[in-house]
Amino acid sequence: MVKKKVLHILRNLIIAFFGSTILVTLIYRFVPVYVTPLMIIRCMEQMKDGEEIKLKHTWVPFEKISKHLPMAVIASEDNKFATHNGFDFQAIQLAIEESQEGKRNRGASTISQQTAKNVFLWPESSWLRKGFEVYFTVLIETLWSKQRIMEVYLNSIEMGKGIYGAEATARYKFHTTAKKLSRGQCALIAATLPNPIKFDSANPSRYILRRQAKILRVMQLIPKFPPAKKGK
């Protein structure tokens, strides 16, 4: 009897988990993501450290973001974004091999994985979070378009201390709008993404300038995103 009750509770919990996560993912296919777990966590960290709470974020639709920014982040973070199913298995295998050889850890997370983490999960790495990250990545790749994934990514990613998304970055770092960001500014933003707290796109170091130059070169080689519609 007790075993049946436990199994019944587990079944209901599993149904509730899958039902709620699929529903939220469907909602976010159409509704702007105004706040993420990372934003809340960072605010709590600021409070804990006795700092003034800083949270700069303004959602803007994909059409109001510079056409250069998607190209810059693809060049920097995920060259195969437009064609993979959410995971770059070649990059993952290479990261595993380099880790086994004792080399510096290589990032293998795709833009889809980073979006899943930013919107639904917490930043600290663990096997539990990685497992959930895989699940949510499959969900957004299944229920969202690639353009929607990119739109949410560019609106939710951390781009500086207390600064999230393209519009806030454009305003507070370059005194412009996301739509008016130049090709060079977009490459600078993308160059800082591995560590946007340490590196400042508005005041780039020599290292960031070198990364910017590399990103600008790669941007010329990768296919345009989003792809041009047929007939245009």
Side-chain angles (χ1 to χ4, degrees), residues 2-20:
V2 174
K3 185 178 179 180
K4 284 185 178 180
K5 286 185 178 180
V6 171
L7 291 174
H8 181 73
I9 292 171
L10 286 175
R11 186 197 65 182
N12 288 343
L13 287 174
I14 291 170
I15 293 172
F17 171 77
F18 284 107
S20 61

Side-chain angles (χ1 to χ4, degrees), residues 205-223:
S205 63
R206 290 183 181 179
Y207 168 71
I208 292 300
L209 290 173
R210 289 196 298 270
R211 280 185 54 82
Q212 178 200 31
K214 181 180 178 180
I215 289 168
L216 287 170
R217 289 195 298 271
V218 176
M219 286 169 68
Q220 295 178 320
L221 303 175
I222 58 177

Side-chain angles (χ1 to χ4, degrees), residues 46 51 57 65 68 71 82 134 205 209-210 223:
Q46 292 168 9
E51 300 176 358
H57 176 245
I65 298 175
H68 302 298
M71 298 295 293
V134 169
S205 63
L209 290 173
R210 289 196 298 270

Side-chain angles (χ1 to χ4, degrees), residues 179-196:
K179 182 69 173 179
K180 294 179 180 179
L181 285 168
S182 69
R183 189 166 176 269
Q185 289 169 335
C186 289
L188 278 176
I189 292 170
T192 66
L193 292 184
N195 194 333

Side-chain angles (χ1 to χ4, degrees), residues 127-146:
W127 286 110
L128 177 63
R129 198 215 71 195
K130 280 292 182 182
F132 281 122
E133 183 180 299
V134 169
Y135 169 70
F136 281 108
T137 300
V138 171
L139 273 188
I140 65 174
E141 280 282 342
T142 303
L143 300 175
W144 299 358
S145 66
K146 284 288 187 178

Side-chain angles (χ1 to χ4, degrees), residues 103-141:
K103 295 182 180 179
R104 180 176 63 87
N105 289 337
R106 173 192 293 266
S109 291
T110 63
I111 285 174
S112 300
Q113 287 175 272
Q114 293 180 53
T115 304
K117 180 188 69 175
N118 290 341
V119 174
F120 299 104
L121 303 170
W122 59 95
E124 284 76 21
S125 182
S126 67
W127 286 110
L128 177 63
R129 198 215 71 195
K130 280 292 182 182
F132 281 122
E133 183 180 299
V134 169
Y135 169 70
F136 281 108
T137 300
V138 171
L139 273 188
I140 65 174
E141 280 282 342

Side-chain angles (χ1 to χ4, degrees), residues 56-76:
K56 308 296 184 183
H57 176 245
T58 301
W59 175 277
V60 290
F62 188 81
E63 295 73 21
K64 292 189 177 181
I65 298 175
S66 168
K67 64 181 181 180
H68 302 298
L69 193 54
M71 298 295 293
V73 297
I74 289 173
S76 174

